[in-house]
Amino acid sequence: MGLIVQKFGGSSVADAACIRRVASRVLETHQGGHQVVVIVSAMGDTTDDLIKLAHQITAMPSDREMDMLMSTGEQVSVAMLAMALHAMGAEAVSLTGPQAGIFTDAMHRKAKIMGINPRRVWKHLKAGQIVIVAGFQGQTPKHDIATLGRGGSDTTAVALAAALKADRCQIFTDVEGVYSADPRIVKKACKLDEIAYDEMLELASLGAKVLVSRSVEFAKKYGVELEVLSSFSKAPGTIVKEEVKSMEDIIVRGVSADKDEIKITLAGVPDHPGVAARLFKDLAGANINIDMIVQNISAQGMTDISFTVPEEDLARTRRVMQIAAKSVGVHAVNVDTDIAKVSIVGVGMRGHSGVAFQMFKTLAEQGINILMISTSEIKISVIVRKALADKAMIALHKAFRLDKSRVARGKSAAKAKVRRK
Ligand code: ASP
Ligand code: MG
């Protein structure tokens, strides 16, 4: 007998019929002799709807009240699932994040889990109950309810799995696992059997929205092996785990595109020590995550700095930059929303050379211009025009031999045209 944490996302609990299906799945696991803790997200698009509702009242709702509002979505789901299980004759109890002992910092709307006291969860488990916990929420030091950022239920699941030392953490979603690319765009994308935490982290932060980055960081830190699988089928999913040597045989594990970033260019920035520090200090102070940064060669003591931020932070970035730009004497702040970041990811890149060349050559053959480049040990990202992102992904997927038919022919095909170092 083991302890299993199962998380079901919004699309898996979108309506009453879906909730009943989830209940049967949970019950099946429970009847298999396991203790089960279930984490659920808000039904369907509830969270989006709640945000829209708030904006009917004001354009700038307070973060605390937004959390009060948004956290209701998950509370509807846990109650509904508990009722569905009761109707099937099962013993189940629903808990809010605070009731489940999830403690966060005070950063409303982007709160981080600081600790978990699972005493109450244990009590219910020991009584033989299925425990259903509201995802995406916890309690601040001031006993207020806080949410963990969009998609935060994944983080709740992984954090609880770590705190409970669960034997397995299953993330149920509406796709069959993690793919080599978004299958809605790249028709030849294939489901991966396994992926390393680091690859998943890059793909998650790059816009492959299967798992939220924070949850993968947590999983890596605490060694929680994750299984991503479909709540609509019984097919085996993708295991997200510690990297093993054999994973390096595949140079590129996945290709992704993030269309939710924007590029800010500061034109005419005085080129002397401390200026960049000043500009980026204010952005950090406003809790804005900067991704790529490029500084041009300076001419006449002036330079240009471009960087990318999530589109949702545009208004705040603009505000912060206008103030900072004035104080350091920047000429102009330009915003470019017509961009997308296309990336290739794989731990195998460490052991191979020529990967960047192969990527740029592929894009050149497609007539796709590169606006910015950034690299890490296991990832290469480029910024391109938004309308070209899909085309770039499809071409790269093929160039790195990730297309379905080729992968089926065996791993040797994955070696592509790049040389082993
Ligand atoms: N319901 C929240 C959201 O839509 C949390 C989640 O789905 O994980 O962002
Ligand atoms: Mg959701």
Side-chain angles (χ1 to χ4, degrees), residues 326-344:
K326 218 171 259 161
S327 74
V328 300
V330 173
H331 274 201
V333 180
N334 300 319
V335 177
D336 185 352
T337 55
D338 179 25
I339 60 153
K341 180 170 64 177
V342 175
S343 312
I344 55 173

Side-chain angles (χ1 to χ4, degrees), residues 82-93:
M83 291 174 198
L85 281 161
H86 293 165
M88 293 172 180
E91 295 242 28
V93 61

Side-chain angles (χ1 to χ4, degrees), residues 10 41-42 44 47 150-151:
S41 299
T47 310
R150 297 306 306 271

Side-chain angles (χ1 to χ4, degrees), residues 366-383:
Q366 298 292 318
I368 298 171
N369 194 33
I370 299 170
L371 307 175
M372 282 168 113
I373 300 169
S374 89
T375 63
S376 80
E377 245 196 329
I378 64 163
K379 172 201 76 174
I380 304 172
S381 299
V382 296
I383 298 286

Side-chain angles (χ1 to χ4, degrees), residues 6 22-32 85 88-91 130:
Q6 299 187 317
V22 167
S24 335
R25 192 119 195 197
V26 168
L27 191 54
E28 223 172 83
T29 308
H30 194 247
Q31 285 169 341
L85 281 161
M88 293 172 180
E91 295 242 28
I130 295 168

Side-chain angles (χ1 to χ4, degrees), residues 117-417:
N117 178 351
R119 211 173 16 178
R120 185 150 177 205
V121 175
W122 277 126
K123 193 187 89 190
H124 291 297
L125 284 175
K126 287 198 176 118
Q129 291 172 303
I130 295 168
V131 183
I132 307 160
V133 179
F136 179 54
Q137 56 176 258
Q139 176 174 207
T140 71
K142 283 188 181 159
H143 308 285
D144 282 327
I145 199 150
T147 64
L148 307 177
R150 297 306 306 271
S153 302
D154 291 342
T155 312
T156 306
V158 177
L160 257 177
L164 297 166
K165 300 200 168 52
D167 296 289
R168 212 180 310 162
C169 182
Q170 298 179 315
I171 310 281
F172 288 89
T173 171
D174 52 4
V175 291
E176 294 203 339
V178 182
Y179 281 75
S180 53
D182 184 341
R184 286 167 303 184
I185 297 165
V186 182
K187 296 285 174 257
K188 290 188 174 161
C190 43
K191 193 188 76 195
L192 306 170
D193 295 331
E194 57 176 24
I195 182 168
Y197 290 130
D198 286 334
E199 291 171 328
M200 193 61 222
L201 267 173
E202 293 289 8
L203 288 171
S205 66
L206 294 171
K209 297 204 170 66
V210 197
L211 284 175
V212 110
S213 305
R214 182 79 55 79
S215 69
V216 186
E217 282 165 15
F218 233 101
K220 183 182 174 191
K221 187 164 166 196
Y222 295 98
V224 178
E225 208 168 277
L226 304 179
E227 186 181 359
V228 179
L229 64 177
S230 167
S231 65
F232 301 96
S233 85
K234 292 267 157 115
T238 302
I239 304 285
V240 188
K241 60 177 207 178
E242 200 67 66
E243 181 181 332
V244 291
K245 194 84 193 90
S246 66
M247 286 178 163
E248 292 189 1
D249 290 345
I250 311 265
I251 298 161
V252 173
R253 178 97 39 200
V255 180
S256 76
D258 184 349
K259 297 171 187 166
D260 297 327
E261 274 197 23
I262 52 166
K263 183 168 86 139
I264 313 270
T265 302
L266 307 174
V269 181
D271 191 13
H272 44 246
V275 172
R278 171 67 223 278
L279 294 168
F280 290 101
K281 173 176 160 261
D282 291 353
L283 288 168
N287 215 10
I288 296 166
N289 281 329
I290 298 132
D291 185 28
M292 282 191 205
I293 305 177
V294 173
Q295 176 171 330
N296 283 351
I297 293 171
S298 108
Q300 279 108 39
M302 292 290 197
T303 184
D304 295 341
I305 298 179
S306 294
F307 58 92
T308 62
V309 294
E311 190 154 29
E312 58 178 13
D313 288 336
L314 173 58
R316 268 191 302 159
T317 307
R318 227 194 257 271
R319 230 179 305 132
V320 171
M321 275 302 105
Q322 265 150 9
I323 298 165
K326 218 171 259 161
S327 74
V328 300
V330 173
H331 274 201
V333 180
N334 300 319
V335 177
D336 185 352
T337 55
D338 179 25
I339 60 153
K341 180 170 64 177
V342 175
S343 312
I344 55 173
V345 173
V347 292
M349 276 185 209
R350 283 197 208 111
H352 294 81
S353 59
V355 186
F357 162 68
Q358 173 82 11
M359 180 183 198
F360 301 156
K361 184 171 137 254
T362 304
L363 296 173
E365 282 163 3
Q366 298 292 318
I368 298 171
N369 194 33
I370 299 170
L371 307 175
M372 282 168 113
I373 300 169
S374 89
T375 63
S376 80
E377 245 196 329
I378 64 163
K379 172 201 76 174
I380 304 172
S381 299
V382 296
I383 298 286
V384 300
R385 285 288 161 224
K386 208 174 249 177
L388 298 175
D390 292 354
K391 188 178 170 191
M393 257 206 298
I394 293 166
L396 290 169
H397 197 270
K398 180 156 186 240
F400 285 98
R401 315 258 170 149
L402 296 173
D403 283 1
K404 229 176 223 160
S405 53
R406 307 236 189 184
V407 170
R409 259 190 261 140
K411 283 193 177 145
S412 62
K415 297 218 163 91
K417 284 178 195 139

